Structures are given as C-alpha cells and as structure tokens.
Amino acid sequence: MGNDLTGGTSWIGGEIDGTGFGDARLVGRLRRLMGHLDGALGQPIPLACEDWANTKAAYRFLSNASVNEEPILAGHFQATTRRAAASEGLILVLQDTTEFVYQRETPEKIGFTKHVNSGRDKEGCWRQHKLYGVLMHASLAITLEGLPLGLTAARFWTRPQFKGLLALKRKVNQTRVPIETKESMRWLENMRASTSLPGNAERPIHIGDRENDIYEFFCATQELATHFVVRTCVNRLAGDGKHTVATEMAEVAVASHHQFEIADGSTAKLALKYKRVNLLPPIGKARRYPPLSLTVIHATEVDPPEGRKPINWKLLTDLPVETADQAIEKMTWYAMRWKIELFFKILKSG
C-alpha cells in the first residue's frame, strides 16, 4: 500500500480515529506524520520528515497536551476489532512488557525502568546503574495460524522510583498486597480491554508468561467468561490445602510424548502430563478469592541436547484437557507467545 501524505485514503486512514482528539488539525498532522514515518521505517523524525518545517510540526504535535497514546491508538484498536470480526475461530491474545530506554541530561524527567549490572568493582562486587525510560505493556491479537491482527490494548508508564522486587519483599509480603495497588494490575486491565474487543468473550485465549501467573487474573477471566493459557512459576496449594500442585502432579503418569518444534528450528521430545486440579488462593487472600478448578499441563524435555537449557513448561489453563492432543494444542498456543517479542523487536528497531 502506498503512502498518502495529503490525508487521502490509505492503510493509514483505517488506523486513525479522529474523534478522540477533538481537533481536525491534530488528526491531519497525525496522518501526515504517520505517512512520513511509514516512508522511512527505522529513521529518526528529522530524517523521516525530510525538512525543518515538517520536523518542527511533528515535534509541536507530540508536545501538545491533547496528544497521548489514547487518541493515537483508538483507531488502531478499532481496526484490530474489525480484522478480528472478519477472521474465524479462536483468537490468541499475547501479553508482555517491554522497555524503551533513553539517555537524557535530566533522566529524572523521564523516570526509571530498572537496575542492571554494569560489571564488577575492584573488590569483585557487582555494580549497578539505573536505566531511564518508558515501559509498555501490550496485548497482540493473532489467529491460531499466527497471523497478526493488531494490538488490542496497551499501557505506558514510568517509575518515579524503583527499588527492585527483592527490596520490596523485605518490607512487605506481596501476596497480601491488593492487586489494584500493584503494577501487576496491568495484566488484568489489558485482559479486560482485549476481551471486550472481539465481541465474544469466549473467542480470545489470553496467553501469558510466568509474570502473568496471578491468581486475581485467573479469577477475573472466569468472571468475564473468557479463557487463558499461562505459564506458571508459583507452586500453589491444591486439593485440601495440605499439599501443592507440584506434589499432586508428581503422582501423575506421563500421558504421551510429543516432538515439538522450538523457535530456533530444532525439535525437542517432550513428556506430557496433565490433570484437572483444585487450586487454592494465596492464604492472605483466601477470604477474597475462591478456589478454582483449572487444568495443569507439565511438559518436560527428554534427553535435551548439550548447551541448551532443557524445556520445562508448567502451564495452567481454565480449558478442559482430556486427551494428549488437547494438551499439545495448548502447548502450541503458548509457543506462539514469541510473536509478541518479535513485535517488540520490530517496533523498536524498525
């Protein structure tokens, strides 16, 4: 599709909704700016805009107090909804977080993202420095065949101060902190926004990594009658509360073996277990959240090659799994999660 910098019909027009701006001039400027950027992918704004007049207009547009991510992305979310409506079958909604790191003379005006190791000092201790920038948590909708349909939700934020999770754990038990006060709430917010877009709550299957192992998230999906497949990292209490999920799954026999193609193109032989388990909420939140009946899927690599960490997936889903083929299906859906990482790479590199 060709660019149309004058504001005529193009793919850009289908991704813009001017109602959120309340000013036709801002809509026109966004259309022209997107046209310039589309014609020079990966280039900074001055090179994409080609001359000083357009460059100055672009920065003036981005500095306008009425311009933020909500009106800019509103049209794209609507376009994603149209593409989802035109597709058939289930839709995988992939959630993940990425960072945009910037260097500024006054980094406090941007905010912090995290601490990173920057080598060892003379005594051999790790040195750390802060990274400054913006965090983005996005949800990407794709078909079961892997065709991207677009974003369904996005959250942007920065941290005025970030002490790190370990520092926070020394002061407070995170399992007793309400989810509404934590950054983890973004997983629930994106899930709710994404569920409302396709028009049918049962169509989206929300896919998340271990950071998405949030009990409140699982409860919220049941309230909305939507579905999920999430990789777990917490060994929760199960059954009557006197044992854990790991204990219960240790007694489950291997149901089958499956040759699974991984991201680097090689194959791995996985031993599969699955069982419907009665999952209990964290003790500190037992009065607020009910027990859940969920399916646990364990996939452990058999005879992994040297030099590569063996695959050991522990997945959790609200969907029933009664056969090995159904377990393989859920694993395949989770394996699609790498596509949002690829999206972030393209977004930041052009």
Side-chain angles (χ1 to χ4, degrees):
M1 298 181 183
N3 302 333
D4 187 352
L5 304 185
T6 63
T9 301
S10 71
W11 74 267
I12 294 175
E15 304 292 321
I16 293 178
D17 175 25
T19 60
F21 286 106
D23 188 333
R25 294 171 298 179
L26 293 178
V27 179
R29 175 51 59 187
L30 174 61
R31 191 185 300 271
R32 287 189 287 273
L33 177 57
M34 287 182 63
H36 286 300
L37 295 174
D38 182 51
L41 293 178
Q43 297 298 322
I45 288 177
L47 290 180
C49 292
E50 297 182 341
D51 59 57
W52 176 240
N54 280 315
T55 301
K56 187 176 181 180
Y59 284 121
R60 189 185 300 118
F61 169 79
L62 295 173
S63 301
N64 192 306
S66 300
V67 175
N68 56 55
E69 66 271 16
E70 290 186 13
I72 291 177
L73 290 173
H76 173 66
F77 294 155
Q78 293 176 12
T80 300
T81 302
R82 292 193 295 269
R83 288 187 283 267
S87 66
E88 297 181 354
L90 300 174
I91 296 171
L92 303 182
V93 180
L94 320 174
Q95 282 202 59
D96 206 359
T97 305
T98 191
E99 304 161 355
F100 298 88
V101 179
Y102 303 102
Q103 293 183 354
R104 294 291 187 275
E105 293 182 358
T106 55
E108 293 78 8
K109 293 184 178 180
I110 301 177
F112 303 108
T113 57
K114 65 180 180 181
H115 292 91
V116 296
N117 290 328
S118 54
R120 297 182 184 270
D121 57 22
K122 294 181 179 179
E123 287 72 32
C125 298
W126 283 106
R127 295 175 297 186
Q128 289 192 331
H129 69 274
K130 298 176 181 177
L131 296 182
Y132 302 90
V134 178
L135 296 103
M136 174 188 182
H137 186 74
S139 296
L140 176 68
I142 66 173
T143 65
L144 294 183
E145 293 73 32
L147 177 67
L149 301 173
L151 295 182
T152 57
R155 298 284 185 276
F156 297 86
W157 78 100
T158 188
R159 295 167 176 146
Q161 186 175 9
F162 182 64
K163 296 181 179 179
L165 184 59
L166 292 179
L168 292 175
K169 283 183 176 179
R170 285 193 287 266
K171 294 184 177 181
V172 63
N173 184 345
Q174 289 291 301
T175 64
R176 297 181 182 271
V177 176
I179 188 69
E180 293 82 4
T181 65
K182 299 164 68 174
E183 280 190 5
S184 302
M185 187 65 185
R186 67 188 186 273
W187 294 89
L188 280 73
E189 292 173 341
N190 271 33
M191 180 270 294
R192 287 168 177 151
S194 302
T195 299
S196 65
L197 287 180
N200 182 349
E202 293 189 356
R203 285 192 72 194
I205 308 296
H206 303 274
I207 310 295
D209 62 6
R210 285 173 287 190
E211 194 177 358
N212 195 181
D213 187 4
I214 304 169
Y215 199 86
E216 293 90 336
F217 179 92
F218 307 146
C219 293
T221 59
Q222 296 217 338
E223 294 171 3
L224 296 174
T226 190
H227 306 292
F228 67 87
V229 176
V230 168
R231 188 176 176 186
T232 66
C233 62
V234 180
N235 186 20
R236 304 184 187 278
L237 291 175
D240 57 4
K242 297 180 180 180
H243 65 273
T244 65
V245 172
T247 303
E248 191 159 339
M249 291 301 294
E251 299 176 355
V252 178
V254 173
S256 79
H257 291 83
H258 177 65
Q259 292 287 343
F260 195 80
E261 183 175 350
I262 57 180
D264 63 4
S266 61
T267 59
K269 184 180 180 181
L270 303 180
L272 299 181
K273 295 181 177 182
Y274 52 87
K275 183 181 180 181
R276 198 74 173 180
V277 173
N278 185 49
L279 211 66
L280 302 183
I283 294 175
K285 300 180 180 180
R287 293 183 179 180
R288 186 174 179 184
Y289 299 103
L292 298 174
S293 176
L294 302 175
T295 301
V296 178
I297 304 172
H298 283 187
T300 305
E301 187 171 6
V302 179
D303 298 326
E306 294 185 5
R308 177 171 64 74
K309 188 176 181 179
I311 294 174
N312 184 18
W313 286 354
K314 298 177 180 179
L315 305 182
L316 196 63
T317 179
D318 64 310
L319 295 166
V321 175
E322 299 176 353
T323 66
D325 286 343
Q326 289 178 331
I328 293 168
E329 177 185 58
K330 308 308 180 291
M331 288 172 44
T332 304
W333 292 352
Y334 176 77
M336 290 278 197
R337 202 195 66 81
W338 69 270
K339 286 184 175 289
I340 193 169
E341 297 177 0
L342 179 60
F343 164 73
F344 286 147
K345 178 182 178 180
I346 295 171
L347 180 65
K348 291 189 280 189
S349 68

